[in-house]
Amino acid sequence: MDAQILLERLIAEHKPGFALQREFQTSAEIYQLDLERIWRRGWLFAGHTCQVKQPGDYFVLDIADDSLVVIRGDDDRIHALHNTCRHRGMRVCQAEAGHVGRIVCPYHQWSYARSGELVACGGMDKDGDLDPTRFGLHCAHVREVAGLIFVCLAVDPPPFDEAERALAPRLRPQGFERAKVAAVRNYEVRANWKLVWENNRECWHCHANHPQYVQANWDAAPIDDARLRQEIEAHARAISARLEAHGLAIDYAEAGMVRFPSPDCWWSINRTPLVPGWVTESMDGRPVAPIMGDYPTRDVGTLRVRTMPNFWNHSSSDHSVSTRLVPAGPQRTLAQVQWLVHADAVEGKDYELDTLLPFWGLTSEQDWDLCARNQAGVNSPAFTPGPYSTRREYNVIRYTEWYLHEVART
Ligand code: FES
Ligand SMILES: [Fe+2]
């Protein structure tokens, strides 16, 4: 069936406030529309600037058929170069990450500068026949915000400045630019990328499925719990006052549960206190690494960032955990989880992976398992979409509205 006709029928039949129909999570046609209208249009989180500290440092980001080499150039700027040779299309970078003086195509050795210009193609018929300025690697758009790298595959990317203005000052105290990646785990999630987000956008499932996470966090409560909201806000005010006494002004205005996303906003950032007794998101709440960024004290709660369609991050005073999604098929999503610590922290001396990783490692793996079993249930011929709770799944409702708005844009 024609993908657009299928989409229009599904949108017409979708009941607001109810889960998406099965085809949204299974159909190859809808998956292609998702790629075209969301993944090839919007800003995608690629990684951290500390992954490409020196000119020539790079990592590769594959998004369906697109492959980008995210590399720091000799101009010290970060470039996103399409990983397809301008001769006959060979992938120029095979490794997932590394360091290069020049990017040399392994096929016939055309070579490119670290910002993509063609610098040599020796062996062509006649020297001087080919104008090298016309054969640099194709570029995607790149923006950096306080240590985070975003890329966009569209020819005309959507606006970014407003997001940057909101994100940059709130991200900066975390010190992402002075961090390092302490560990990376790559996961294959056997579920459509939208089911992964649906799972992420509510914490109703947390008590039953995340025994570690709920000890440190309040998110499992419904949004209309006024008494809890007052308690969280009182903690937030106390943290703010403590930090202000140290000369650090931090906005905790949106402590607690926040509503996100909406059709006109693809990013969100807030800070919220942890449950008393927990100074970091670790298994026992105790510190697992040296303080990061500008924090004068450990008890700063968590910084939380989400950007649609592929990124969320939780940061404590001593470490930060970034999750990046990439769709890999109608029922397959690749999730990369990265743990960051202060750049000067030394493994074995200042931190141990055994204490740094389990909190988010377990929580992530619990979620991937939930997503896979959710997908299996949605695949059942007996599945019919059920209603979302407005108290507990308000952000799944928002997410579904955002998604339908984005995918419907021709
Ligand atoms: S395809 Fe790259 S040099 Fe020929
Ligand atoms: Fe979860």
Side-chain angles (χ1 to χ4, degrees):
M1 182 188 285
D2 176 83
Q4 181 61 26
I5 293 171
L6 172 61
L7 178 70
E8 286 171 13
R9 174 173 70 73
L10 290 171
I11 290 177
E13 290 172 1
H14 177 254
K15 278 194 241 165
F18 278 64
L20 295 169
Q21 301 99 303
R22 179 176 45 248
E23 289 91 333
F24 279 112
Q25 319 293 9
T26 58
S27 147
E29 287 83 3
I30 296 292
Y31 177 71
Q32 285 305 320
L33 286 182
D34 287 356
L35 291 179
E36 280 167 33
R37 296 181 179 177
I38 294 176
W39 292 86
R40 294 186 55 81
R41 252 186 201 164
W43 287 100
L44 307 177
F45 172 73
H48 306 91
T49 57
C50 65
Q51 294 173 252
V52 287
K53 257 194 167 129
Q54 304 299 328
D57 290 349
Y58 75 90
F59 64 86
V60 171
L61 170 62
D62 293 332
I63 309 146
D65 290 337
D66 280 290
S67 178
L68 294 176
V69 182
V70 179
I71 184 168
R72 192 176 290 275
D74 293 315
D75 53 5
D76 209 37
R77 287 178 47 228
I78 294 172
H79 303 264
L81 309 172
H82 281 276
N83 194 1
T84 173
C85 183
R86 292 299 308 280
H87 178 216
R88 279 168 50 200
M90 185 72 160
R91 288 228 160 161
V92 289
C93 283
Q94 320 294 318
E96 280 178 25
H99 176 90
V100 285
R102 282 182 178 182
I103 299 170
V104 181
C105 178
Y107 215 173
H108 316 97
Q109 288 73 53
W110 281 31
S111 65
Y112 301 89
R114 303 196 275 207
S115 41
E117 298 88 6
L118 178 65
V119 288
C121 50
M124 293 295 286
D125 301 342
K126 289 184 209 149
D127 284 348
D129 259 8
L130 186 144
D131 175 3
T133 62
R134 292 181 48 230
F135 290 94
L137 293 172
H138 294 300
C139 297
H141 298 275
V142 183
R143 295 291 294 262
E144 292 174 45
V145 189
L148 306 184
I149 307 168
F150 291 86
V151 297
C152 180
L153 294 165
V155 175
D156 293 314
F160 193 86
D161 291 351
E162 194 188 337
E164 180 173 10
R165 277 195 296 275
L167 295 175
R170 292 175 171 91
L171 287 170
R172 233 168 247 134
Q174 190 66 35
F176 285 100
E177 282 153 322
R178 290 165 278 146
K180 70 169 186 180
V181 176
V184 183
R185 295 289 180 271
N186 289 297
Y187 300 97
E188 178 183 333
V189 188
R190 309 289 300 173
N192 185 279
W193 69 275
K194 299 189 289 295
L195 286 178
V196 179
W197 268 114
E198 284 198 23
N199 175 71
N200 174 274
R201 295 289 68 220
E202 53 90 3
C203 207
W204 195 6
H205 69 266
C206 291
H207 272 306
N209 295 282
H210 295 312
Q212 297 81 22
Y213 184 85
V214 293
Q215 288 189 62
N217 288 288
W218 275 298
D219 319 24
I223 196 155
D224 56 358
D225 187 334
R227 191 202 54 76
L228 181 61
R229 176 167 291 277
Q230 281 175 3
E231 190 183 333
I232 294 171
E233 285 170 358
H235 285 299
R237 281 195 299 275
I239 294 176
S240 268
R242 263 204 311 278
L243 293 177
E244 257 182 65
H246 283 96
L248 183 64
I250 283 191
D251 176 9
Y252 284 81
E254 284 193 295
M257 285 67 84
V258 293
R259 296 184 188 271
F260 173 77
S262 66
D264 48 29
C265 194
W266 56 272
W267 47 266
S268 143
I269 185 163
N270 72 314
R271 286 179 180 272
T272 197
L274 293 166
V275 169
W278 295 73
V279 297
T280 186
E281 289 186 330
S282 66
M283 296 295 276
D284 60 5
R286 287 188 297 185
V288 288
I291 285 185
M292 293 179 74
D294 302 335
Y295 301 129
T297 153
R298 288 187 175 276
D299 191 6
V300 302
T302 55
L303 171 69
R304 297 174 178 191
V305 194
R306 318 106 188 137
T307 65
M308 287 293 160
N310 82 325
F311 173 61
W312 63 82
N313 171 288
H314 273 223
S315 293
S316 299
S317 57
D318 58 352
H319 74 289
S320 175
V321 185
S322 290
T323 302
R324 183 188 77 185
L325 303 181
V326 175
Q331 299 187 30
R332 187 165 173 256
T333 304
L334 303 179
Q336 182 178 82
V337 182
Q338 292 185 318
W339 285 259
L340 293 98
V341 295
H342 193 288
D344 298 337
V346 177
E347 187 185 342
K349 178 169 161 271
D350 300 316
Y351 67 93
E352 302 284 350
L353 296 184
D354 285 354
T355 52
L356 180 69
L357 269 51
F359 185 94
W360 271 105
L362 287 167
T363 303
S364 303
E365 287 161 22
Q366 289 152 0
D367 275 328
W368 311 149
D369 183 51
L370 290 168
C371 294
R373 288 186 284 138
N374 190 181
Q375 177 78 58
V378 167
N379 289 350
S380 163
F383 168 74
T384 51
Y388 295 131
S389 160
T390 56
R391 304 175 64 228
R392 305 249 184 202
E393 293 166 303
Y394 46 93
N395 275 339
V396 189
I397 295 171
R398 283 214 157 195
Y399 169 74
T400 302
E401 288 168 359
W402 170 86
Y403 166 72
L404 290 173
H405 177 266
E406 294 298 307
V407 77
R409 289 196 302 135
T410 50

